[in-house]
Amino acid sequence: IWVGTTDGLNRLTPQKVTHFLTLDLVTGLEAAPDGTVWAATADAIVKVTQNGDELYRFAGLRPRAMNVDAHGTLWVATDESVVRIDTGARTPEVVDKTLRHVRAMTSDREGRVWMFDSEQGLLRWHRNRVDPVALPELENDRVTLMFTDREGTIWLSGGGRLIAISSEGQTRVFGAA
């Protein structure tokens, strides 16, 4: 288990915690299918091998949300845009400059990236376009966390609720009405 702290990047095993890399406060972590770890700090994203060796630092990115898709591409939401960093890339590619308020992201098995934008609501990126996803129960809620489980269900947390969107598109709401 990788753990980000005020001291940097650490790895937790059943026997001990090992410090791997000194960074500023780690605000987010994402693991790619190949074992690469992406660590976010206040002003950079650092790509790290599974052994803890720094591969590359993307300075100037101030991430609000991150997600690694099934292909190992890192998606990053900042206050200026959404960017992606493909495996092996040294430069982030701007995907959409109109998405400036994305605060949570996840991806599904079909390669779609799901984002919650605090001004535009729930969005789905697929084949180079963004489509809104209608969820009337969430229009005024703020989603702070998104996750895709092994069955392909998209989970959203926010506003005192937990929302599940099945791979068939069925929505269930748990918690306060």
Side-chain angles (χ1 to χ4, degrees):
I1 297 174
W2 289 97
V3 180
T5 67
T6 55
D7 190 33
L9 189 60
N10 303 277
R11 191 162 199 179
L12 174 66
T13 63
Q15 294 80 26
K16 63 182 176 174
V17 175
T18 305
H19 180 73
F20 274 90
L21 190 61
T22 300
L23 299 168
D24 293 333
L25 171 65
V26 175
T27 58
L29 290 173
E30 284 289 328
D34 68 356
T36 300
V37 175
W38 298 88
T41 67
D43 62 354
I45 294 177
V46 181
K47 186 176 182 180
V48 181
T49 68
Q50 55 188 322
N51 296 325
D53 299 322
E54 183 175 327
L55 291 176
Y56 197 77
R57 183 177 296 252
F58 296 89
L61 284 177
R62 293 180 173 84
R64 293 293 190 162
M66 299 189 316
N67 176 257
V68 173
D69 66 21
H71 304 288
T73 298
L74 178 69
W75 294 77
V76 181
T78 71
D79 286 335
E80 289 90 36
S81 64
V82 171
V83 301
R84 68 178 162 211
I85 304 171
D86 291 322
T87 303
R90 297 283 186 185
T91 306
E93 173 191 355
V94 175
V95 172
D96 194 314
K97 288 186 177 184
T98 66
L99 299 174
R100 302 171 67 137
H101 302 279
V102 173
R103 298 300 180 252
M105 308 175 95
T106 192
S107 53
D108 63 24
R109 294 184 284 206
E110 282 76 41
R112 298 174 296 198
V113 177
W114 297 69
M115 300 172 245
F116 187 84
D117 184 289
S118 59
E119 291 190 351
Q120 299 181 53
L122 185 61
L123 305 167
R124 187 175 43 217
W125 173 272
H126 187 60
R127 296 187 178 152
N128 295 323
R129 67 181 262 180
V130 176
D131 294 312
V133 178
L135 289 173
E137 300 94 351
L138 288 178
E139 285 184 18
N140 296 319
D141 284 343
R142 183 167 184 251
V143 172
T144 56
L145 182 65
M146 296 176 72
F147 176 75
T148 306
D149 68 19
R150 290 182 188 137
E151 285 76 40
T153 300
I154 307 291
W155 293 89
L156 299 89
S157 173
R161 298 181 192 173
L162 186 62
I163 299 95
I165 305 169
S166 72
S167 56
E168 294 82 31
Q170 297 171 325
T171 302
R172 293 180 292 157
V173 179
F174 303 90

